[in-house]
Coordinates of all heavy atoms in Angstrom, one line a residue:
M1 N 81.9 -55.7 40.6 CA 80.8 -55.1 41.3 C 80.1 -56.2 42.1 O 79.8 -57.3 41.5 CB 79.8 -54.5 40.4 CG 78.7 -53.8 41.1 SD 77.5 -52.9 40.0 CE 78.4 -51.5 39.4
G2 N 80.0 -56.1 43.4 CA 79.4 -57.0 44.2 C 77.9 -57.0 44.2 O 77.3 -56.1 43.6
F3 N 77.4 -58.0 44.8 CA 75.9 -58.1 44.9 C 75.2 -56.9 45.5 O 74.2 -56.4 44.9 CB 75.5 -59.4 45.7 CG 74.1 -59.7 45.8 CD1 73.4 -60.2 44.7 CD2 73.4 -59.4 47.0 CE1 72.0 -60.4 44.8 CE2 72.1 -59.7 47.1 CZ 71.3 -60.2 46.0
E4 N 75.7 -56.4 46.6 CA 75.1 -55.2 47.2 C 75.1 -54.0 46.3 O 74.1 -53.3 46.2 CB 75.8 -54.9 48.5 CG 75.4 -55.9 49.6 CD 76.3 -57.2 49.6 OE1 77.4 -57.1 48.9 OE2 76.0 -58.1 50.2
E5 N 76.2 -53.9 45.5 CA 76.3 -52.7 44.6 C 75.3 -52.9 43.4 O 74.7 -51.9 43.0 CB 77.8 -52.6 44.1 CG 78.8 -52.2 45.1 CD 79.4 -53.3 45.8 OE1 79.2 -54.5 45.4 OE2 80.0 -53.0 46.9
V6 N 75.2 -54.1 43.0 CA 74.2 -54.3 41.8 C 72.8 -54.0 42.3 O 72.0 -53.3 41.7 CB 74.3 -55.8 41.4 CG1 73.2 -56.1 40.4 CG2 75.6 -56.0 40.7
I7 N 72.4 -54.5 43.5 CA 71.1 -54.2 44.1 C 70.9 -52.7 44.3 O 69.8 -52.1 43.9 CB 70.9 -54.9 45.4 CG1 70.9 -56.5 45.2 CG2 69.6 -54.5 46.1 CD1 69.8 -56.9 44.3
K8 N 71.9 -52.0 44.7 CA 71.8 -50.5 44.9 C 71.6 -49.8 43.6 O 70.8 -48.9 43.5 CB 73.0 -50.0 45.7 CG 72.9 -48.5 46.0 CD 74.1 -48.0 46.7 CE 74.0 -46.5 46.9 NZ 73.3 -45.6 46.1
E9 N 72.4 -50.2 42.6 CA 72.3 -49.6 41.3 C 70.8 -49.8 40.7 O 70.2 -48.9 40.2 CB 73.3 -50.3 40.4 CG 73.2 -49.7 39.0 CD 73.6 -48.3 38.8 OE1 74.4 -47.7 39.6 OE2 73.2 -47.6 37.8
L10 N 70.3 -51.0 40.9 CA 69.0 -51.3 40.4 C 67.9 -50.5 41.1 O 67.0 -49.9 40.5 CB 68.6 -52.8 40.5 CG 69.4 -53.7 39.6 CD1 69.1 -55.2 39.9 CD2 69.1 -53.4 38.1
R11 N 68.1 -50.4 42.4 CA 67.1 -49.6 43.2 C 67.2 -48.1 42.8 O 66.2 -47.3 42.7 CB 67.4 -49.7 44.6 CG 66.9 -51.0 45.2 CD 67.0 -51.1 46.7 NE 66.5 -52.4 47.2 CZ 67.0 -53.1 48.2 NH1 67.9 -52.5 48.9 NH2 66.4 -54.2 48.5
D12 N 68.4 -47.6 42.6 CA 68.6 -46.2 42.2 C 68.0 -46.0 40.8 O 67.4 -44.9 40.6 CB 70.1 -45.8 42.2 CG 70.8 -45.8 43.5 OD1 70.0 -45.8 44.5 OD2 72.0 -45.7 43.5
R13 N 68.2 -46.9 39.8 CA 67.6 -46.7 38.6 C 66.1 -46.7 38.6 O 65.4 -46.0 37.9 CB 68.0 -47.8 37.6 CG 69.5 -47.7 37.2 CD 69.8 -48.8 36.2 NE 71.2 -48.8 35.9 CZ 71.9 -49.5 35.0 NH1 71.1 -50.4 34.3 NH2 73.1 -49.4 34.8
E14 N 65.5 -47.6 39.4 CA 64.0 -47.7 39.6 C 63.5 -46.4 40.2 O 62.5 -45.8 39.8 CB 63.6 -48.9 40.4 CG 62.1 -49.0 40.5 CD 61.3 -49.0 39.2 OE1 61.8 -49.5 38.2 OE2 60.2 -48.4 39.2
E15 N 64.2 -45.8 41.2 CA 63.7 -44.6 41.8 C 63.8 -43.4 40.8 O 62.9 -42.6 40.8 CB 64.6 -44.3 43.0 CG 64.1 -43.1 43.8 CD 62.7 -43.0 44.2 OE1 62.1 -44.1 44.6 OE2 62.0 -42.0 44.0
E16 N 64.8 -43.4 40.0 CA 65.0 -42.4 39.0 C 63.8 -42.5 38.0 O 63.2 -41.5 37.6 CB 66.3 -42.4 38.3 CG 66.5 -41.5 37.2 CD 66.5 -40.0 37.6 OE1 66.6 -39.7 38.8 OE2 66.5 -39.1 36.7
A17 N 63.5 -43.7 37.5 CA 62.4 -43.9 36.6 C 61.1 -43.5 37.2 O 60.3 -42.8 36.6 CB 62.3 -45.4 36.2
R18 N 60.9 -43.8 38.5 CA 59.7 -43.4 39.2 C 59.6 -41.9 39.3 O 58.5 -41.2 39.0 CB 59.6 -44.0 40.6 CG 58.4 -43.7 41.4 CD 58.5 -44.4 42.8 NE 58.6 -45.8 42.7 CZ 59.7 -46.6 43.1 NH1 60.7 -45.9 43.7 NH2 59.7 -47.8 43.0
R19 N 60.7 -41.2 39.6 CA 60.7 -39.7 39.7 C 60.3 -39.1 38.3 O 59.6 -38.2 38.2 CB 62.1 -39.3 40.1 CG 62.2 -37.8 40.3 CD 63.7 -37.3 40.3 NE 64.4 -37.4 39.1 CZ 64.2 -36.7 38.0 NH1 63.3 -35.8 38.0 NH2 64.9 -36.9 36.9
I20 N 60.9 -39.7 37.2 CA 60.5 -39.2 35.9 C 59.1 -39.4 35.6 O 58.4 -38.5 35.0 CB 61.5 -39.8 34.8 CG1 62.9 -39.4 35.0 CG2 61.0 -39.5 33.4 CD1 64.0 -40.1 34.2
R21 N 58.6 -40.6 35.9 CA 57.1 -40.8 35.6 C 56.2 -39.8 36.4 O 55.3 -39.3 35.9 CB 56.8 -42.3 35.9 CG 57.3 -43.3 35.0 CD 56.8 -44.7 35.2 NE 57.0 -45.2 36.5 CZ 58.1 -46.0 36.8 NH1 58.9 -46.4 35.8 NH2 58.2 -46.5 38.0
R22 N 56.6 -39.6 37.6 CA 55.8 -38.6 38.4 C 55.9 -37.2 37.8 O 54.9 -36.5 37.8 CB 56.4 -38.6 39.8 CG 56.0 -39.8 40.8 CD 56.7 -39.6 42.1 NE 56.5 -40.8 42.9 CZ 57.4 -41.1 43.9 NH1 58.4 -40.4 44.1 NH2 57.2 -42.2 44.5
A23 N 57.1 -36.8 37.4 CA 57.3 -35.4 36.9 C 56.6 -35.2 35.6 O 56.1 -34.1 35.4 CB 58.7 -35.1 36.9
E24 N 56.6 -36.2 34.8 CA 56.1 -36.0 33.4 C 54.6 -36.2 33.3 O 53.9 -35.8 32.3 CB 56.8 -37.0 32.4 CG 58.3 -36.7 32.3 CD 58.6 -35.4 31.6 OE1 57.9 -35.1 30.6 OE2 59.5 -34.8 32.0
A25 N 54.0 -36.8 34.3 CA 52.6 -37.2 34.2 C 51.7 -36.0 34.2 O 51.9 -34.9 34.8 CB 52.2 -38.1 35.5
D26 N 50.6 -36.0 33.5 CA 49.5 -35.0 33.4 C 48.6 -35.3 34.6 O 47.6 -36.0 34.4 CB 48.8 -35.1 32.1 CG 47.7 -34.1 31.9 OD1 47.3 -33.3 33.0 OD2 47.3 -33.9 30.8
W27 N 48.8 -34.7 35.8 CA 48.1 -34.9 37.0 C 46.6 -34.5 36.9 O 45.7 -35.0 37.5 CB 48.8 -34.5 38.2 CG 50.0 -35.3 38.5 CD1 51.3 -35.0 38.2 CD2 49.9 -36.6 39.1 NE1 52.0 -36.1 38.5 CE2 51.3 -37.0 39.1 CE3 48.9 -37.4 39.6 CZ2 51.7 -38.3 39.7 CZ3 49.3 -38.6 40.2 CH2 50.6 -39.0 40.2
D28 N 46.4 -33.4 36.1 CA 45.0 -32.9 35.9 C 44.1 -34.0 35.2 O 43.0 -34.3 35.6 CB 45.0 -31.6 35.1 CG 45.4 -30.4 36.0 OD1 45.4 -30.5 37.2 OD2 46.0 -29.5 35.4
F29 N 44.8 -34.6 34.2 CA 44.1 -35.7 33.4 C 43.9 -36.8 34.4 O 42.8 -37.4 34.4 CB 44.8 -36.1 32.2 CG 44.2 -37.2 31.5 CD1 43.1 -37.1 30.7 CD2 44.8 -38.5 31.6 CE1 42.6 -38.1 30.0 CE2 44.3 -39.5 30.9 CZ 43.1 -39.4 30.2
I30 N 45.0 -37.2 35.0 CA 44.9 -38.4 35.9 C 43.8 -38.2 37.0 O 43.0 -39.2 37.2 CB 46.3 -38.7 36.6 CG1 47.3 -39.1 35.5 CG2 46.2 -39.8 37.7 CD1 48.7 -39.1 35.9
N31 N 43.7 -37.1 37.6 CA 42.7 -36.8 38.6 C 41.3 -36.8 38.1 O 40.3 -37.0 38.9 CB 43.1 -35.5 39.4 CG 44.2 -35.8 40.3 OD1 44.4 -36.8 40.9 ND2 45.1 -34.7 40.4
S32 N 41.1 -36.6 36.8 CA 39.8 -36.6 36.2 C 39.3 -38.1 35.8 O 38.2 -38.1 35.5 CB 39.8 -35.7 34.9 OG 40.4 -36.4 33.9
L33 N 40.2 -39.0 35.9 CA 39.8 -40.4 35.6 C 38.9 -41.0 36.6 O 38.9 -40.6 37.8 CB 41.1 -41.2 35.4 CG 42.0 -40.9 34.3 CD1 43.3 -41.6 34.4 CD2 41.4 -41.1 32.9
P34 N 38.1 -42.1 36.2 CA 37.3 -42.8 37.1 C 38.3 -43.4 38.2 O 39.4 -43.7 37.9 CB 36.7 -43.9 36.3 CG 36.7 -43.4 34.9 CD 37.9 -42.5 34.8
P35 N 37.7 -43.6 39.4 CA 38.6 -44.0 40.6 C 39.5 -45.2 40.3 O 40.7 -45.2 40.6 CB 37.7 -44.3 41.7 CG 36.5 -43.4 41.4 CD 36.4 -43.3 39.9
R36 N 38.9 -46.2 39.7 CA 39.7 -47.5 39.4 C 40.8 -47.2 38.4 O 41.9 -47.7 38.6 CB 38.7 -48.6 39.0 CG 39.3 -49.9 38.8 CD 38.2 -50.9 38.5 NE 38.7 -52.2 38.2 CZ 38.0 -53.3 38.0 NH1 36.8 -53.2 38.1 NH2 38.6 -54.4 37.7
V37 N 40.6 -46.5 37.4 CA 41.5 -46.2 36.4 C 42.6 -45.3 36.9 O 43.8 -45.4 36.7 CB 40.9 -45.7 35.1 CG1 41.9 -45.3 34.0 CG2 39.9 -46.6 34.5
K38 N 42.2 -44.3 37.7 CA 43.1 -43.4 38.4 C 44.1 -44.1 39.3 O 45.3 -44.0 39.2 CB 42.4 -42.3 39.2 CG 43.2 -41.4 39.9 CD 42.4 -40.5 40.8 CE 43.2 -39.6 41.7 NZ 42.4 -38.7 42.5
L39 N 43.5 -45.1 40.1 CA 44.4 -45.9 40.9 C 45.3 -46.7 40.1 O 46.5 -46.8 40.5 CB 43.5 -46.8 41.8 CG 44.2 -47.8 42.7 CD1 45.0 -47.0 43.8 CD2 43.3 -48.8 43.4
A40 N 44.9 -47.2 39.0 CA 45.8 -48.1 38.2 C 46.9 -47.2 37.5 O 48.1 -47.7 37.5 CB 45.0 -48.7 37.0
V41 N 46.6 -45.9 37.1 CA 47.6 -45.1 36.6 C 48.7 -44.8 37.6 O 49.8 -44.8 37.4 CB 47.0 -43.8 35.9 CG1 48.1 -42.9 35.5 CG2 46.2 -44.3 34.8
I42 N 48.2 -44.5 38.8 CA 49.1 -44.2 40.0 C 50.0 -45.4 40.3 O 51.2 -45.2 40.5 CB 48.3 -43.6 41.2 CG1 47.7 -42.3 40.9 CG2 49.2 -43.6 42.4 CD1 46.7 -41.8 41.9
H43 N 49.4 -46.5 40.3 CA 50.1 -47.8 40.5 C 51.2 -47.9 39.4 O 52.4 -48.3 39.8 CB 49.2 -49.0 40.5 CG 49.9 -50.3 40.7 ND1 50.4 -51.0 39.6 CD2 50.3 -51.0 41.8 CE1 51.1 -52.1 40.0 NE2 50.9 -52.1 41.4
Y44 N 50.9 -47.6 38.2 CA 51.9 -47.7 37.1 C 53.0 -46.7 37.3 O 54.2 -47.0 37.2 CB 51.3 -47.4 35.7 CG 52.3 -47.5 34.7 CD1 52.7 -48.7 34.2 CD2 52.8 -46.4 34.1 CE1 53.7 -48.8 33.2 CE2 53.8 -46.4 33.1 CZ 54.2 -47.7 32.7 OH 55.1 -47.7 31.7
I45 N 52.7 -45.5 37.8 CA 53.7 -44.5 38.0 C 54.6 -44.9 39.1 O 55.8 -44.7 39.0 CB 53.0 -43.1 38.3 CG1 52.3 -42.5 37.2 CG2 54.0 -42.1 39.0 CD1 51.4 -41.3 37.4
E46 N 54.1 -45.5 40.1 CA 54.9 -46.0 41.3 C 55.7 -47.2 41.0 O 56.8 -47.4 41.5 CB 54.1 -46.2 42.5 CG 53.4 -44.8 43.0 CD 54.5 -43.8 43.3 OE1 55.4 -44.2 44.1 OE2 54.3 -42.6 42.9
T47 N 55.2 -48.1 40.2 CA 55.9 -49.4 40.0 C 56.4 -49.7 38.6 O 57.3 -50.5 38.4 CB 54.8 -50.6 40.3 OG1 53.8 -50.6 39.3 CG2 54.3 -50.4 41.7
G48 N 55.8 -49.1 37.5 CA 56.2 -49.4 36.2 C 55.6 -50.7 35.7 O 56.0 -51.1 34.6
D49 N 54.7 -51.3 36.4 CA 54.1 -52.6 36.1 C 52.9 -52.5 35.3 O 51.9 -52.2 35.9 CB 53.9 -53.4 37.3 CG 53.5 -54.9 37.0 OD1 53.0 -55.1 35.9 OD2 53.8 -55.7 37.9
I50 N 52.9 -52.5 34.0 CA 51.8 -52.3 33.1 C 50.8 -53.4 33.2 O 49.6 -53.2 33.1 CB 52.2 -52.0 31.6 CG1 51.1 -51.3 30.9 CG2 52.7 -53.2 31.0 CD1 51.5 -50.7 29.6
Y51 N 51.2 -54.6 33.4 CA 50.3 -55.8 33.5 C 49.4 -55.7 34.7 O 48.2 -55.9 34.6 CB 51.1 -57.0 33.4 CG 51.9 -57.2 32.2 CD1 53.3 -56.9 32.3 CD2 51.4 -57.4 31.0 CE1 54.1 -57.0 31.1 CE2 52.2 -57.5 29.8 CZ 53.5 -57.3 29.9 OH 54.3 -57.3 28.7
V52 N 50.0 -55.4 35.9 CA 49.2 -55.4 37.1 C 48.3 -54.1 37.0 O 47.2 -54.1 37.4 CB 50.0 -55.3 38.3 CG1 49.2 -55.1 39.6 CG2 50.7 -56.7 38.5
S53 N 48.8 -53.0 36.5 CA 48.0 -51.8 36.4 C 46.8 -51.9 35.5 O 45.7 -51.5 35.8 CB 48.9 -50.6 35.8 OG 50.0 -50.4 36.7
A54 N 47.0 -52.7 34.4 CA 45.9 -53.0 33.5 C 44.8 -53.8 34.2 O 43.6 -53.5 34.0 CB 46.4 -53.7 32.3
R55 N 45.3 -54.8 35.0 CA 44.3 -55.6 35.7 C 43.6 -54.7 36.7 O 42.3 -54.9 36.9 CB 45.0 -56.7 36.4 CG 45.7 -57.6 35.4 CD 45.5 -59.1 35.4 NE 44.3 -59.6 36.1 CZ 44.3 -60.7 36.8 NH1 45.5 -61.4 36.8 NH2 43.3 -61.2 37.4
I56 N 44.3 -53.8 37.4 CA 43.6 -53.0 38.4 C 42.5 -52.1 37.7 O 41.4 -52.0 38.2 CB 44.6 -52.1 39.1 CG1 45.5 -52.9 40.0 CG2 43.9 -51.0 39.9 CD1 46.7 -52.1 40.5
A57 N 42.8 -51.6 36.5 CA 41.9 -50.8 35.7 C 40.8 -51.6 35.1 O 39.7 -51.1 34.7 CB 42.6 -50.1 34.7
G58 N 40.9 -52.9 35.0 CA 39.9 -53.8 34.3 C 40.0 -53.6 32.9 O 39.0 -53.7 32.2
M59 N 41.2 -53.4 32.3 CA 41.5 -53.1 30.9 C 42.4 -54.2 30.4 O 43.2 -54.8 31.2 CB 42.0 -51.7 30.7 CG 41.1 -50.6 31.1 SD 42.0 -49.1 30.9 CE 40.7 -47.9 31.0
S60 N 42.5 -54.2 29.1 CA 43.6 -55.0 28.5 C 44.9 -54.2 28.6 O 44.7 -52.9 28.8 CB 43.3 -55.3 27.0 OG 43.3 -54.1 26.2
V61 N 46.0 -54.7 28.4 CA 47.2 -54.0 28.4 C 47.2 -52.9 27.3 O 47.6 -51.8 27.6 CB 48.4 -54.9 28.3 CG1 49.8 -54.1 28.0 CG2 48.6 -55.8 29.4
E62 N 46.7 -53.2 26.1 CA 46.6 -52.2 25.1 C 45.7 -51.1 25.4 O 46.1 -49.9 25.2 CB 46.1 -52.9 23.8 CG 47.0 -53.9 23.2 CD 47.0 -55.3 23.9 OE1 46.0 -55.5 24.6 OE2 48.0 -56.0 23.8
E63 N 44.6 -51.3 26.1 CA 43.7 -50.2 26.5 C 44.3 -49.4 27.5 O 44.3 -48.2 27.5 CB 42.4 -50.8 27.0 CG 41.5 -51.5 25.9 CD 40.3 -52.2 26.6 OE1 40.5 -52.8 27.7 OE2 39.2 -52.2 26.0
F64 N 44.9 -50.1 28.5 CA 45.6 -49.2 29.6 C 46.7 -48.4 29.0 O 47.0 -47.3 29.4 CB 46.1 -50.2 30.7 CG 46.8 -49.4 31.8 CD1 46.0 -48.7 32.7 CD2 48.1 -49.3 31.8 CE1 46.6 -48.0 33.7 CE2 48.8 -48.5 32.8 CZ 48.0 -47.9 33.7
N65 N 47.5 -49.0 28.1 CA 48.6 -48.2 27.5 C 48.1 -47.0 26.8 O 48.8 -46.0 26.9 CB 49.4 -49.1 26.5 CG 50.7 -48.6 26.2 OD1 51.5 -48.1 27.1 ND2 51.1 -48.6 25.0
E66 N 46.9 -47.0 26.2 CA 46.4 -45.8 25.6 C 46.1 -44.8 26.7 O 46.3 -43.5 26.4 CB 45.1 -46.1 24.8 CG 45.4 -47.0 23.5 CD 46.2 -46.2 22.5 OE1 46.0 -44.9 22.3 OE2 47.1 -46.8 21.9
V67 N 45.6 -45.2 27.8 CA 45.3 -44.2 28.9 C 46.7 -43.7 29.4 O 46.8 -42.5 29.6 CB 44.5 -44.9 30.0 CG1 44.5 -44.0 31.3 CG2 43.2 -45.4 29.6
R68 N 47.7 -44.6 29.5 CA 49.0 -44.1 30.0 C 49.5 -43.1 29.0 O 50.0 -42.0 29.5 CB 50.0 -45.3 30.0 CG 51.4 -44.9 30.4 CD 52.4 -45.9 30.0 NE 52.6 -46.2 28.6 CZ 53.2 -45.5 27.8 NH1 53.8 -44.4 28.1 NH2 53.3 -45.9 26.5
I69 N 49.4 -43.2 27.8 CA 49.9 -42.3 26.7 C 49.1 -41.0 26.9 O 49.7 -39.9 26.9 CB 49.8 -42.8 25.3 CG1 50.7 -44.0 25.1 CG2 49.9 -41.8 24.3 CD1 50.5 -44.8 23.9
R70 N 47.8 -41.0 27.0 CA 47.0 -39.8 27.2 C 47.3 -39.1 28.5 O 47.2 -37.8 28.6 CB 45.5 -40.1 27.1 CG 45.1 -40.5 25.7 CD 43.6 -40.8 25.5 NE 42.7 -40.3 26.5 CZ 41.6 -41.0 27.0 NH1 41.4 -42.2 26.6 NH2 40.8 -40.5 27.8
A71 N 47.7 -39.8 29.5 CA 48.2 -39.2 30.7 C 49.6 -38.7 30.8 O 50.0 -38.2 31.7 CB 48.0 -40.2 31.9
R72 N 50.2 -38.8 29.6 CA 51.7 -38.4 29.4 C 52.6 -39.1 30.4 O 53.6 -38.4 30.8 CB 51.7 -36.9 29.5 CG 51.0 -36.3 28.3 CD 51.3 -34.8 28.0 NE 51.8 -34.1 29.2 CZ 51.1 -33.0 29.7 NH1 50.1 -32.5 29.1 NH2 51.7 -32.4 30.7
V73 N 52.4 -40.3 30.8 CA 53.2 -41.0 31.7 C 54.3 -41.8 30.8 O 53.8 -42.6 30.0 CB 52.5 -42.0 32.6 CG1 53.5 -42.8 33.5 CG2 51.5 -41.3 33.4
P74 N 55.6 -41.5 31.0 CA 56.6 -42.2 30.1 C 56.5 -43.7 30.3 O 56.2 -44.2 31.4 CB 57.9 -41.6 30.6 CG 57.5 -40.3 31.3 CD 56.2 -40.5 31.8
N75 N 56.9 -44.4 29.3 CA 57.0 -45.8 29.4 C 58.1 -46.2 30.4 O 59.1 -45.6 30.6 CB 57.4 -46.4 28.0 CG 57.3 -47.9 27.9 OD1 57.1 -48.6 28.9 ND2 57.3 -48.4 26.7
A76 N 57.8 -47.3 31.1 CA 58.7 -47.7 32.2 C 60.0 -48.1 31.8 O 61.0 -48.1 32.5 CB 58.0 -48.8 33.1
N77 N 60.2 -48.5 30.6 CA 61.5 -49.1 30.1 C 62.4 -48.0 29.7 O 62.5 -47.2 29.1 CB 61.3 -50.0 28.9 CG 60.4 -51.2 29.4 OD1 60.5 -51.6 30.6 ND2 59.7 -51.8 28.5

């Protein structure tokens, strides 16, 4: 498998993970969150990056992960 094929496979997997996070998320709950936390959850859904998302929310990773679970957003891994 060449470099281009590996990159394409990784992009395809990330897009599939993003699609699953979007579909499984509890959007009513997410939309009820304070703006900064809502933005952080949406960032997580789009990127899967829990560390940056927690920083956006102004929370520890553990605190943000609790919000992620309550929002029914699947883990990025």
Side-chain angles (χ1 to χ4, degrees):
M1 183 178 285
F3 179 74
E4 288 83 17
E5 290 88 12
V6 171
I7 296 298
K8 182 181 181 330
E9 178 68 23
L10 291 173
R11 285 185 179 149
D12 290 348
R13 287 182 187 188
E14 181 54 39
E15 183 54 42
E16 177 66 9
R18 184 179 299 116
R19 186 195 64 74
I20 291 169
R21 288 191 298 266
R22 286 178 188 152
E24 296 292 322
D26 180 348
W27 288 99
D28 289 333
F29 175 76
I30 293 167
N31 288 324
S32 74
L33 294 169
R36 187 171 172 176
V37 179
K38 176 182 172 180
L39 179 64
V41 172
I42 292 170
H43 179 270
Y44 180 79
I45 290 168
E46 294 301 315
T47 67
D49 188 335
I50 197 165
Y51 301 104
V52 171
S53 299
R55 297 231 20 216
I56 291 169
M59 300 176 164
S60 69
V61 171
E62 293 80 17
E63 290 169 324
F64 181 79
N65 197 44
E66 289 298 318
V67 173
R68 177 196 63 80
I69 291 167
R70 289 180 24 221
R72 295 196 331 240
V73 179
N75 194 344
N77 297 333

